[in-house]
């Protein structure tokens, strides 16, 4: 009995100490992210852009630089014990004309996905174009602003037709904890216009952290476990052949809703 009590006391002490450490490292993560964004914009990306080469090569260099910075940031969070993560099926991401669709449970899942698929394009929030830390990287990498316009849909379809990989978060905002993701039809409309393949990525973050309603300093009581799991490819032609584009996009959106509800809420 005494041994059990001592073990429980030691566990509580370890958990408390780990919480304080994770709090400090989380604060450092946010500080480094902001500083890193400014350094990319002011010092690193201007040099990368002025290296010789055609426009497509310079764009690829810029994206790989941003992706490398995001990868390093993800490794900082992992190595300092802020979180553990597992990426299953990563080797199937990054193909030409592939649209990667992912749910968005936390602020940090974008960092992990772009950091591990560094040559991909991405549709990002329009507000980042005004963010002093992020507007440099997103502009130089030529990511697509989610401004809600019809022109945005065409720009996204164009990059897929050009053979780029495109990362899309169809919710447009972070997932409400405990509920299945609710996708806007824009992602499906882009897929019908230009994608060869849709590849779903199912992201889980337990316990929840950095959701839409959670400030950064609300640190979970235990280390976050993050899993990014790549699902089976979805052939766009299976939904679009022989039907008008609006019907095809509705079918794809309904399929994605059912798929994510099944995979995430099981």
């Amino acid at each position: 009995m005494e041994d059990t009590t001592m073990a429980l006391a030691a566990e509580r002490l370890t958990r408390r100490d780990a919480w304080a450490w994770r709090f400090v490292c989380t604060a450092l993560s946010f500080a480094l992210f902001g500083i890193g964004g400014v350094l990319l914009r002011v010092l690193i990306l201007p040099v990368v852009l002025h290296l010789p080469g055609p426009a497509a090569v310079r764009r690829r260099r810029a994206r790989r630089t941003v992706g490398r910075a995001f990868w390093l940031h993800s490794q900082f969070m992992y190595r300092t014990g802020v979180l553990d993560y597992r990426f299953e099926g990563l080797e199937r991401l990054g193909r030409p004309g592939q649209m990667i669709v992912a749910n968005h449970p936390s602020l940090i899942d974008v960092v992990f996905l772009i950091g591990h698929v560094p040559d991909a394009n991405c549709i990002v929030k329009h507000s980042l174009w005004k963010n002093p830390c992020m507007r440099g990287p997103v502009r130089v990498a030529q990511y697509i602003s989610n401004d809600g316009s019809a022109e945005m849909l065409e720009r996204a379809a164009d990059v897929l037709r050009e053979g780029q990989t495109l990362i899309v978060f169809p919710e447009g905002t972070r997932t409400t904890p405990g509920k299945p993701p609710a996708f806007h039809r824009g992602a499906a409309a882009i897929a019908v216009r230009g994608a060869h393949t849709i590849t779903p990525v199912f992201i889980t973050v337990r316990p929840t952290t950095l959701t839409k309603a959670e400030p950064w300093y609300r640190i979970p009581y235990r280390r976050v476990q993050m899993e990014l799991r790549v699902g089976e490819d979805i052939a766009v032609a299976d939904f679009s052949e022989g039907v008008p584009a609006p019907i095809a996009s509705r079918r794809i959106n309904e399929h994605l809703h059912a798929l994510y509800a099944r995979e995430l809420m099981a």
Side-chain angles (χ1 to χ4, degrees), residues 40-52 58 61 65:
L40 279 173
R41 177 188 174 193
V42 175
L43 296 178
I44 300 172
L45 289 173
V47 175
V48 172
L49 282 177
H50 283 86
L51 292 173
R58 286 186 281 121
R61 287 185 192 133
T65 301

Side-chain angles (χ1 to χ4, degrees), residues 9-209:
E11 181 181 352
R12 285 195 295 269
L13 179 61
T14 300
R15 180 172 292 176
R16 186 171 68 247
D17 289 345
W19 185 93
W21 172 256
R22 287 185 288 108
F23 181 90
V24 171
C25 291
T26 300
L28 282 174
S29 296
F30 273 84
L32 289 173
F33 191 83
I35 294 169
V38 173
L39 289 177
L40 279 173
R41 177 188 174 193
V42 175
L43 296 178
I44 300 172
L45 289 173
V47 175
V48 172
L49 282 177
H50 283 86
L51 292 173
V57 172
R58 286 186 281 121
R59 182 191 67 204
R60 190 178 304 115
R61 287 185 192 133
R63 284 188 188 161
R64 288 187 175 276
T65 301
V66 173
R68 184 64 175 177
F70 277 25
W71 183 85
L72 289 171
H73 195 76
S74 70
Q75 294 307 298
F76 176 83
M77 290 187 285
Y78 171 64
R79 299 294 180 182
T80 57
V82 171
L83 52 76
D84 286 326
Y85 80 98
R86 182 166 68 95
F87 209 135
E88 182 182 324
L90 174 61
E91 68 281 356
R92 294 195 286 114
L93 300 182
R95 288 170 281 160
Q98 177 188 46
M99 191 171 87
I100 300 170
V101 171
N103 59 308
H104 192 14
S106 176
L107 186 64
I108 55 177
D109 49 46
V110 180
V111 174
F112 278 79
L113 201 50
I114 293 178
H116 287 76
V117 193
D119 200 24
N121 205 328
C122 185
I123 298 178
V124 300
K125 289 196 304 182
H126 183 63
S127 61
L128 292 182
W129 262 252
K130 300 178 182 179
N131 184 299
C133 296
M134 289 304 300
R135 65 187 180 191
V138 297
R139 285 178 184 273
V140 172
Q142 298 180 25
Y143 294 148
I144 298 170
S145 170
N146 187 6
D147 58 12
S149 67
E151 289 77 11
M152 182 275 290
L153 298 180
E154 287 302 323
R155 288 197 302 272
D158 283 343
V159 305
L160 287 163
R161 287 190 288 260
E162 290 170 9
Q164 297 183 41
T165 303
L166 180 65
I167 298 172
V168 182
F169 295 89
E171 294 166 277
T173 187
R174 278 165 273 175
T175 313
T176 301
K179 294 184 179 180
F183 292 164
H184 299 294
R185 201 183 293 181
I190 293 168
V192 170
R193 285 171 166 84
H196 295 298
T197 302
I198 301 171
T199 304
V201 178
F202 309 107
I203 304 175
T204 57
V205 179
R206 299 190 181 95
T208 60
T209 187

Side-chain angles (χ1 to χ4, degrees), residues 156-259:
D158 283 343
V159 305
L160 287 163
R161 287 190 288 260
E162 290 170 9
Q164 297 183 41
T165 303
L166 180 65
I167 298 172
V168 182
F169 295 89
E171 294 166 277
T173 187
R174 278 165 273 175
T175 313
T176 301
K179 294 184 179 180
F183 292 164
H184 299 294
R185 201 183 293 181
I190 293 168
V192 170
R193 285 171 166 84
H196 295 298
T197 302
I198 301 171
T199 304
V201 178
F202 309 107
I203 304 175
T204 57
V205 179
R206 299 190 181 95
T208 60
T209 187
L210 298 175
T211 65
K212 194 171 185 179
E214 287 182 305
W216 73 264
Y217 49 81
R218 189 174 295 167
I219 308 301
Y221 69 92
R222 60 182 174 85
R223 184 179 301 176
V224 170
Q225 305 293 320
M226 183 176 185
E227 180 181 282
L228 302 96
R229 180 168 52 87
V230 179
E232 296 298 323
D233 289 343
I234 301 168
V236 176
D238 290 347
F239 298 86
S240 62
E241 191 169 351
V243 299
I247 294 176
S249 63
R250 186 178 71 243
R251 289 178 176 176
I252 290 173
N253 203 49
E254 290 172 351
H255 177 75
L256 289 173
H257 271 139
L259 177 64

